[in-house]
Amino acid sequence: MTRYTRVAAALHWLIAVAILANFVFGTWMVDLDLSPAKLRYYSYHKWLGVSVFLLVLVRIAWRIGHRPPALPTHMPTWERVAAGVSHFALYGLTLAVPLSGWLFSSAKGFKTVYFALIPIPDLLAKNPALADTLKLWHLSLNYVMALLILLHVAAALKHHFMDRDDVLVRMWPFGRSATGAKS
Amino acid sequence: MKCWFALLALVALPVGAAPLAVDLAKSEITFQSKQMGVPVDGKVRKFAMQLDFDAKKPEAGSVKIELDAASIDAGSDEANAELVKRGWMDAAKFPKATFVSSSVKTLPGGRFEVTGKMTIKGITRDLSAPFTVKAQGTAQLFEGAFVLKRLEFKIGEGAWSDTETVADEVQIRFKVLANPAPK
């Protein structure tokens, strides 16, 4: 079995955990009453979002330099196409979701200051009407991403338990690197 | 000609020259607060001003400003709804904030400084603000800035007095366009 590189697997799981955490956190924090804590949570949410964006860029760069292991030979063409399209869409969404959040924040009139230290320049000026539109985009992109992630997880489980191939195992973080014996 | 007579009359008056005609539409009081390191712009939408100033006799100048506490735009609807509450401006109990000058002095470099008493939420403190004066046709443009420490006036009590989230210092800027005194 050819595994993903350790770096590729580490980035995959780090980003997965960060996205899941920020999705749950973001969904929870928006309904809180205004308080200093809420302001802090919004900042944390943005910082984590910026981090995800940067990590995805690193991940894409790594992937360009390190070809992932080939798909199992038993997969029919439609599955290969579906896998390609959904992976491509996942990369796109993991960039688009933080991007939309950042634009939404700018349009709301709140600059994003990474870790309260590094101001990220605003691409948009304050514009309440545009902010409403971007809020909708940020939410919609999140839900589309969540759906795709569910599909992604379902496919990984199908490969593992039904097809009994190595698709899940080769990305699994705990295991032998390179070629290993695992039935 | 009439203008000249009016000017002469002004100069000739020994005390208490007529105040200038402040053009409120072209004047603004803005501020910048900081939350989690993020600068947020706001402004006072409604204020009244009595201004008297002659660059030839700056120390005779005076100003009285009355700010409408409920008209403060802190940058977002959520913040504005919060700002009128008791812990912040308590606009129901203290509808007006005032600044009454006690002296004006000349600073080096053609600048001036006004000192006076600022009253917000029933708390009065001495405050000074440097400013410049530029001629714009027959009008004078006054511009200046100073730092107001919000906690000195109990702006943001309880949990909001935490300066880790919302900074104590609020940068205040003013731009006032004043026409010559009406005849």
Side-chain angles (χ1 to χ4, degrees), chain A residues 35-36 38 40 43 111 126, chain B residues 36 38 75 78 159-160 162 165:
Chain A
S35 69
K38 187 176 186 178
R40 286 197 293 275
S43 288
K111 190 190 278 292
K126 183 174 175 179
Chain B
M36 298 296 286
V38 180
E78 217 178 13
W160 287 110
D162 160 36
T165 311

Side-chain angles (χ1 to χ4, degrees), chain A residues 38-107:
Chain A
K38 187 176 186 178
L39 294 185
R40 286 197 293 275
Y41 297 156
Y42 267 73
S43 288
Y44 301 157
H45 178 74
K46 291 174 194 182
W47 301 347
L48 191 51
V50 174
S51 304
V52 166
F53 182 83
L54 296 175
L55 283 169
V56 173
L57 289 184
V58 171
R59 190 167 172 220
I60 290 172
W62 183 266
R63 179 166 176 159
I64 289 168
H66 302 78
R67 182 166 280 280
L71 293 172
T73 46
H74 69 78
M75 284 172 71
T77 311
W78 79 266
E79 278 189 18
R80 292 170 178 277
V81 172
V85 169
S86 56
H87 283 140
F88 191 81
L90 273 171
Y91 279 108
L93 280 164
T94 47
L95 289 176
V97 166
L99 212 55
S100 66
W102 166 61
L103 292 172
F104 167 38
S105 185
S106 291

